[in-house]
């Protein structure tokens, strides 16, 4: 099935977004490609998630997993990981990479979060949904689905981009036009999400916020770091009410 055909079947997905990730999919694991930022932030977010939720032995769902950078890293920490996405090619790349790397405890599926929530509610100890909410038409629906997929007391992690003049300057002008970290058109400012909005969606979905972190990029060292500054990139850790 082509990426576009898949998108038509899923109500809460943007066909253009899925096609965009599909076209780049063959470079997903190239650490110097347009996915360099994901490779760079991966160890940081992995440590944060593992420190809070203890990945070893847990059932983990990675929503919007793309080529599997985080899914595979979590599987290497002995979690049993399912990665889901609606873009076909990144899923193929993810599958192949896990096979070549000999990582057995990760599986990938092309299914919408909402559909999986109806099929398997309360199944996962940990659900991650990183750098994805800002690419969907109705992010609050994803938050509800993710909350349903977590077991009571389970952990839920989100990361996305804040919406304010500074994030416009850093995440779009800086990253896409000045530093060329990302292809132009990767992000759409109007789809960025304020922490207060994400907090409300979480609350309404029965998720209790446990911790927040910011992530910053230093153009001189070309490195990312976890910070307390949530004004551009930020992460939320929540638990489903028990
Ligand atoms: N979460 C991964 C990939 C982020 S890129 C990581 O952080 O490493 C964004 C991903 O979201 C892409 O793979 C894209 O195909 C996926 N995506 C966009 N809309 C989606 C939707 N409605 N449902 C599932 N995945 C979606």
């Amino acid at each position: 099935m082509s990426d576009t055909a898949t998108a038509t079947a899923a109500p809460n997905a943007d066909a253009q977004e899925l096609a965009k990730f599909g076209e780049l999919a063959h470079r997903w694991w190239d650490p110097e490609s347009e996915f360099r930022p994901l490779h760079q932030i991966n160890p940081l977010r992995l440590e944060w998630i593992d420190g809070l939720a203890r990945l070893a032995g847990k059932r983990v769902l990675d929503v919007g997993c793309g080529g599997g950078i985080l899914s595979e890293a979590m599987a290497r920490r002995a979690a049993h990981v399912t990665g889901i996405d609606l873009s076909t090619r990144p899923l193929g790349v993810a599958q192949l990479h896990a096979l070549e790397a000999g990582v057995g405890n990760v599986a990938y599926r092309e299914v919408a979060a909402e559909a999986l929530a109806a099929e398997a509610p309360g199944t996962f100890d940990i659900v991650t949904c990183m750098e994805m909410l800002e690419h969907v038409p109705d992010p609050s629906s994803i938050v509800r689905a993710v909350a349903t997929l977590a077991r009571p007391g389970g952990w839920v992690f989100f990361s996305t981009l804040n919406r304010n003049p500074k994030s416009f300057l850093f995440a779009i002008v800086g990253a896409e036009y000045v530093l060329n970290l990302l292809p132009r058109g990767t992000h759409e400012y109007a789809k960025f999400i304020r922490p207060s909005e994400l907090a409300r969606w979480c609350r309404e979905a029965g998720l209790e916020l446990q911790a927040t972190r910011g992530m910053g990029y230093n153009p001189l060292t070309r490195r990312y770091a976890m910070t307390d500054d949530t004004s551009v990139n930020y992460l939320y850790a929540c638990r489903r009410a028990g």
Side-chain angles (χ1 to χ4, degrees):
M1 212 191 302
S2 78
D3 292 327
T4 321
T6 317
T8 326
N12 187 21
D14 179 332
Q16 278 183 358
E17 290 276 10
L18 299 179
K20 197 169 67 187
F21 288 106
E23 277 156 26
L24 304 174
H26 57 288
R27 285 199 292 278
W28 210 289
W29 283 88
D30 175 351
E32 295 307 323
S33 71
E34 38 284 269
F35 296 103
R36 181 173 188 272
L38 293 182
H39 286 279
Q40 289 242 312
I41 65 174
N42 206 48
L44 305 173
R45 60 192 186 178
L46 180 69
E47 281 310 321
W48 193 60
I49 293 167
D50 201 11
L52 287 169
R54 303 279 166 223
L55 285 161
K58 302 281 167 56
R59 287 161 304 171
V60 178
L61 178 70
D62 188 18
V63 175
C65 63
I69 295 173
L70 180 62
S71 307
E72 202 178 293
M74 293 192 293
R76 285 179 187 277
R77 294 267 168 116
H80 304 279
V81 182
T82 303
I84 64 169
D85 204 286
L86 287 175
S87 191
T88 311
R89 286 197 198 114
L91 285 173
V93 167
Q95 219 142 24
L96 194 64
H97 195 275
L99 196 70
E100 284 176 346
V103 179
N105 45 325
V106 60
Y108 295 100
R109 251 185 90 181
E110 188 172 320
V111 61
E114 290 90 343
L116 190 61
E119 184 187 310
T123 305
F124 297 94
D125 300 306
I126 303 170
V127 185
T128 55
C129 180
M130 315 302 264
E131 316 301 326
M132 181 270 198
L133 291 175
E134 70 276 17
H135 297 285
V136 300
D138 180 1
S140 67
S141 164
I142 302 288
V143 173
R144 279 194 299 278
V146 160
T148 304
L149 284 156
R151 67 161 169 79
W155 283 89
V156 169
F157 294 88
F158 296 107
S159 69
T160 190
L161 281 159
N162 201 340
R163 192 175 71 255
N164 55 50
K166 183 179 168 187
S167 72
F168 177 76
L169 196 67
F170 280 65
I172 297 192
V173 180
E176 296 183 17
Y177 291 83
V178 180
L179 299 172
N180 293 317
L181 297 173
L182 294 170
R184 293 176 189 180
T186 297
H187 287 119
E188 191 186 323
Y189 177 69
K191 286 182 159 172
F192 290 2
I193 297 165
R194 293 202 178 108
S196 58
E197 294 164 338
L198 184 54
R200 176 163 48 83
W201 298 335
C202 286
R203 214 165 38 242
E204 288 168 359
L207 295 175
E208 293 163 359
L209 185 59
Q210 307 289 317
T212 310
R213 296 293 274 152
M215 220 162 20
Y217 181 71
N218 182 336
L220 298 176
T221 58
R222 299 181 73 222
R223 298 265 164 239
Y224 290 84
M226 295 287 249
T227 66
D228 290 330
D229 177 2
T230 57
S231 58
V232 185
N233 293 85
Y234 67 98
L235 303 94
Y236 264 18
C238 309
R239 295 189 85 157
R240 181 174 165 181

